[in-house]
Each structure stands twice: as structure tokens, then as C-alpha cells.
Amino acid sequence: MESFDFELTGNYLSDQTHLPKKVRVFVYSDPVEVWAASWPEELDEGEQFVGIDKEGNEVEYTDADGIAGIKEQGCFGFVKWDKELHIYFDAERADVLDLVQLLGHEIGHLQRPHKRDFMAEEMKAEHYSDFAGYVWRMLDALNMKHEQ
């Protein structure tokens, strides 16, 4: 695992944007390692937790399911203590758009205010994911137009 400080210097954020100007970013190459970092303690074998699928539905998972899902998706992330961003990315399983949308989602969790309801907070973060993906596609389209 590697880590670095990401600090936004200059006047890039308005006073109305409630994002931290500095976060510590942890980059993992091992899905088991990022999974372990996402939970304060290991689940007992067979114990389940609730997650969210791509459609926003609540789904129950075990540790093994979580790790298998990360491997299949090729990317995973989470925010910890509003000061840390943890990401895993496997370029053989996911593309840059997946990474851009993952980063958008996790940055959405850094945006204030937090929603008290778990699902509402996840949906807020998904809006950021959608927006990041939209911007990435727009940049791609602009680049293609520019090259013609």
C-alpha cells in the first residue's frame, strides 16, 4: 500500500463547497488488504453486513463476498474519518472511467453536510459519481472533436 497527501492549494473551492482542502490518500494493490482496512475488525465466518448494489438496493455480504466483489469490480474505495481516502484499482478489471466514478463517489462522502440516513448518504455520493463520469465523458468527447 502506498499513500500520499492530496492538498488542494489555490482558490479552487468556493466558500460554499464543504470539502477538505487536504486528505491522505491510500492506494492498495491487494483487494484483501483494502477490504481489511475498510472494517475495524474481521467479521466472524458467515457473519454478514449490509452493503449496496449498483441499483442502490441493500444486499447482505460476508467477508468472502466482499473480497470477491472487489476483485470482480476491479475498484473499491472508502472514506475514513473525513481525512482519509482509501482506494483499490486493478487496471485489468476496471477502466479509468470506473476509477473516476469511484473517486467522485468517495469525494461525495467528504462533502458536507453528511446525511444521517445511510441510504441517503450513499445516494448523495452516487450523484457525485454520476457527475464525475459525465465530466469524464465530456472531456473525452471534447478531445475527440479537437483531434478531428
Side-chain angles (χ1 to χ4, degrees):
M1 179 233 335
E2 298 177 32
S3 66
F4 64 92
D5 286 328
F6 173 78
E7 190 165 0
L8 194 57
T9 58
N11 215 7
Y12 296 106
L13 299 176
S14 75
D15 292 339
Q16 304 304 310
T17 304
H18 302 287
L19 288 169
K21 292 201 182 233
K22 183 177 181 178
V23 281
R24 185 89 181 147
V25 180
F26 296 84
V27 182
Y28 298 83
S29 59
D30 179 5
V32 174
E33 189 178 348
V34 72
W35 179 256
S38 71
W39 294 100
E41 58 194 51
E42 247 184 72
L43 296 175
D44 293 332
E45 189 166 333
E47 186 179 356
Q48 297 186 332
F49 72 97
V50 177
I52 296 178
D53 66 13
K54 291 180 181 179
E55 287 78 40
N57 301 311
E58 289 188 12
V59 183
E60 291 186 347
Y61 291 96
T62 63
D63 268 341
D65 295 333
I67 293 166
I70 292 170
K71 286 179 182 178
E72 183 181 326
Q73 290 176 162
C75 61
F76 176 76
F78 63 95
V79 170
K80 199 177 223 179
W81 303 307
D82 298 331
K83 297 175 186 165
E84 296 179 1
L85 174 60
H86 297 252
I87 59 170
Y88 163 78
F89 179 71
D90 178 353
E92 292 182 15
R93 295 215 174 256
D95 60 23
V96 174
L97 177 59
D98 295 321
L99 180 59
V100 166
Q101 290 188 281
L102 169 70
L103 291 170
H105 180 95
E106 299 311 328
I107 289 167
H109 285 306
L110 293 172
Q111 175 68 39
R112 298 292 164 272
H114 281 302
K115 305 285 185 188
R116 290 182 180 181
D117 178 73
F118 175 77
M119 289 299 292
E121 176 64 25
E122 285 301 314
M123 292 301 102
K124 178 189 84 172
E126 275 303 296
H127 291 298
Y128 283 82
S129 175
D130 292 345
F131 179 76
Y134 186 88
V135 170
W136 180 256
R137 289 181 185 96
M138 181 65 72
L139 286 170
D140 188 46
L142 289 169
N143 187 43
M144 289 173 58
K145 289 267 188 211
H146 180 69
E147 289 176 357
Q148 292 178 355

